[in-house]
């Protein structure tokens, strides 16, 4: 059976899934990022909240175009909605958000936190609801409306990916709520039939994510992208980077914008209600 754990209104810019949180009693804003392996906070947050280092823990973070390796920081308390996590060691990574938010942006809620729940993502109504799922699909989701079930695979890093096709070529797509626009790596775009000459004609746009500076990508219109039974015609995606770690492309918020989605880590599936094609936006953040 499923049990509701927290309702998190989405705040701020619609190009990001931002939720309110507290670290050591101080209000902060976090990005809900299914594409990030670890929950992470920025060096600026560590400095502002005077968080002590955790020399016993740390690790490497991989973005589309950069890497980061830092020692963790220790928090006395970390609160999301009604969920309280005491004495948590958090990863530290520099992030280029490309915007200012209030309360101050602190970091990312990654897959290490999110995989404990099923996520009811309702971007049209700006709401994220977390559920506990005991492994039974009988009551999922409690929408009272038809939906399409798409199988997913959970990687060793707890990120979920699904089968997709781009212009008839098969790929693995990471569902990435931290990416405002979907992205495919340059080698895989070439494998999908895009030529280097075609990319040279595409506009250059900045992407934001891991690292202190945005990375540059091309904005390309693909003929057809298929997700589950749905075929998205003339979908615009960013083309950039060479390796994502666990997938060939990122499926971002441009896909989720007009859809209500149930993301089940327990059942390894994504349930999509009322699918409708939504064009991507210029630029975008991606992890």
């Amino acid at each position: 059976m499923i049990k509701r754990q927290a309702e998190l209104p989405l705040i701020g810019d619609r190009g990001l899934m931002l939720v309110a949180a507290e670290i050591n009693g101080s209000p902060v804003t976090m990005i809900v990022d299914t594409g990030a392996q670890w929950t992470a906070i920025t060096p600026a947050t560590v400095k502002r909240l005077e968080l002590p280092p955790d020399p016993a823990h740390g690790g490497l973070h991989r973005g589309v175009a950069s890497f980061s390796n830092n020692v963790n920081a220790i928090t006395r308390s970390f609160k999301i909605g009604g969920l309280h996590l005491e004495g948590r060691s958090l990863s530290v990574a520099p992030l280029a958000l490309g915007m200012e938010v209030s309360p101050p942006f602190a970091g990312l809620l990654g897959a290490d936190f999110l995989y404990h729940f099923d996520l009811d993502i309702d971007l049209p109504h700006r709401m994220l609801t977390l559920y506990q799922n005991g492994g039974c699909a009988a009551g999922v989701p409690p929408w009272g409306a038809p939906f399409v079930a798409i199988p997913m695979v959970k990687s060793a890093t707890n990120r979920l990916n699904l089968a997709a096709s781009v212009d008839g070529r098969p790929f693995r797509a990471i569902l990435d709520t931290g990416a405002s626009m979907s992205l495919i790596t340059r080698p895989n775009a070439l494998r999908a039939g895009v030529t280097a000459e075609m990319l040279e004609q595409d506009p250059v746009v900045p992407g934001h994510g891991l690292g202190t500076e945005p990375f540059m990508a091309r904005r390309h219109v693909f003929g057809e992208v298929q997700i589950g039974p749905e075929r998205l015609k003339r979908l615009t995606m960013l083309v950039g980077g060479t390796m994502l770690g666990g997938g060939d492309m990122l499926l971002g918020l441009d896909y989720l914008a007009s859809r209500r989605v149930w993301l089940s880590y327990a059942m390894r599936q994504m349930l999509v209600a009322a699918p409708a094609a939504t064009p991507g936006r210029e630029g975008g953040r991606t992890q």
Side-chain angles (χ1 to χ4, degrees), residues 62-85:
R62 171 186 287 170
V64 170
S66 63
F67 294 85
S68 173
N69 194 5
N70 293 288
V71 170
N72 283 16
I74 299 173
T75 63
R76 296 191 310 274
S77 66
F78 182 46
K79 299 180 181 179
I80 303 290
L83 304 173
H84 296 195
L85 305 173

Side-chain angles (χ1 to χ4, degrees), residues 207-272:
H208 300 278
L210 183 68
T212 58
E213 300 294 333
F215 65 91
M216 294 297 110
R218 297 284 179 173
R219 184 169 164 267
H220 185 80
V221 180
F222 291 85
E224 180 181 273
V225 176
Q226 183 170 357
I227 306 296
E230 185 179 10
R231 298 177 184 270
L232 309 176
K233 302 293 186 179
R234 296 192 57 77
L235 183 71
T236 300
M237 293 194 293
L238 298 183
V239 177
T242 59
M243 185 179 300
L244 297 175
D248 306 310
M249 56 185 287
L250 303 178
L251 194 61
L253 293 187
D254 52 336
Y255 168 78
L256 295 172
S258 64
R259 297 165 173 83
R260 188 172 185 179
V261 168
W262 183 283
L263 186 61
S264 178
Y265 287 87
M267 303 306 299
R268 310 289 198 272
Q269 61 184 353
M270 178 172 69
L271 311 179
V272 184

Side-chain angles (χ1 to χ4, degrees), residues 29-99:
T29 302
M30 303 286 287
I31 294 177
V32 180
D33 191 349
T34 59
Q37 178 179 358
W38 303 110
T39 296
I41 53 177
T42 65
T45 300
V46 174
K47 181 178 180 180
R48 180 169 61 88
L49 300 182
E50 299 180 342
L51 302 178
D54 182 4
H57 297 92
L60 179 69
H61 294 263
R62 171 186 287 170
V64 170
S66 63
F67 294 85
S68 173
N69 194 5
N70 293 288
V71 170
N72 283 16
I74 299 173
T75 63
R76 296 191 310 274
S77 66
F78 182 46
K79 299 180 181 179
I80 303 290
L83 304 173
H84 296 195
L85 305 173
E86 304 298 334
R88 187 174 175 86
S89 177
L90 297 179
S91 295
V92 178
L95 300 165
L97 183 58
M99 61 176 286

